[in-house]
Amino acid sequence: MTTKTKIIVGAGLALFVLCAVVAGLIIYLALDKDYARQYSAGLAEGREFGKGTNQDGCIREGMSRLKGIEEPDFRQLAANSVFVRECLSVSQKTPGFCTGVPSVPFREWIADQCKQLGREDAVCLGVFDAKHTFCNGL
């Protein structure tokens, strides 16, 4: 077997494994009723909360919603992120809210925002990822 053939076979195998993992995750999430319930609740709660606050209020609430949970699981983090996105979509505009939010690269910006707040946890990263998504119309 030539080196080129080995590389092609290896890359094909790696792609197959990656696809299998992604498909498994998608199937797991589709069958995960608790995830669906938390996600739906995050949508509804975000819309409701957003009606009575501004965009900064959505960020503050997103940062505090999982307070007291030492290590939130991915379901809780996803529900919180969707809460923030929905809240931002219906809340009153805060002047300059999206000023300085980059389109790319944005991971460093998100990490910097959390660092400025003295928080480098998954909740903060998810909240500022939601802000980035909202400000860039994604």
Side-chain angles (χ1 to χ4, degrees), residues 1 5 17-18 24 26 57 67 69-70 86 106-107 115:
M1 197 181 280
T5 305
V17 170
L18 179 63
I26 290 170
K67 214 173 233 175
I69 301 174
E70 194 168 316
E86 284 298 304
F106 62 92
R107 292 288 171 209
K115 193 172 189 176

Side-chain angles (χ1 to χ4, degrees), residues 28-132:
Y28 173 77
L29 292 177
L31 298 175
D32 188 346
K33 302 296 184 211
D34 189 46
Y35 174 76
R37 183 190 55 73
Q38 287 184 26
Y39 188 89
S40 294
L43 286 170
E45 292 167 8
R47 279 191 297 268
E48 189 60 33
F49 187 83
K51 292 176 186 175
T53 192
N54 64 13
Q55 293 167 327
D56 284 340
C58 294
I59 298 297
R60 280 191 302 276
E61 183 65 15
M63 294 292 281
S64 68
R65 281 173 58 86
L66 298 178
K67 214 173 233 175
I69 301 174
E70 194 168 316
E71 291 188 35
D73 64 31
F74 77 93
R75 292 173 193 88
Q76 294 166 315
L77 293 168
N80 194 52
S81 291
V82 78
F83 167 89
V84 174
R85 284 196 317 267
E86 284 298 304
C87 184
L88 290 172
S89 71
V90 299
S91 63
Q92 299 167 14
K93 295 191 183 313
T94 298
F97 182 75
C98 290
T99 302
V101 178
S103 54
V104 288
F106 62 92
R107 292 288 171 209
E108 291 173 5
W109 176 84
I110 291 170
D112 287 343
Q113 299 305 300
C114 292
K115 193 172 189 176
Q116 288 175 19
L117 295 174
R119 289 187 60 174
E120 298 180 54
D121 56 83
V123 172
C124 185
L125 296 172
V127 167
F128 281 96
D129 185 59
K131 178 176 179 174
H132 168 265

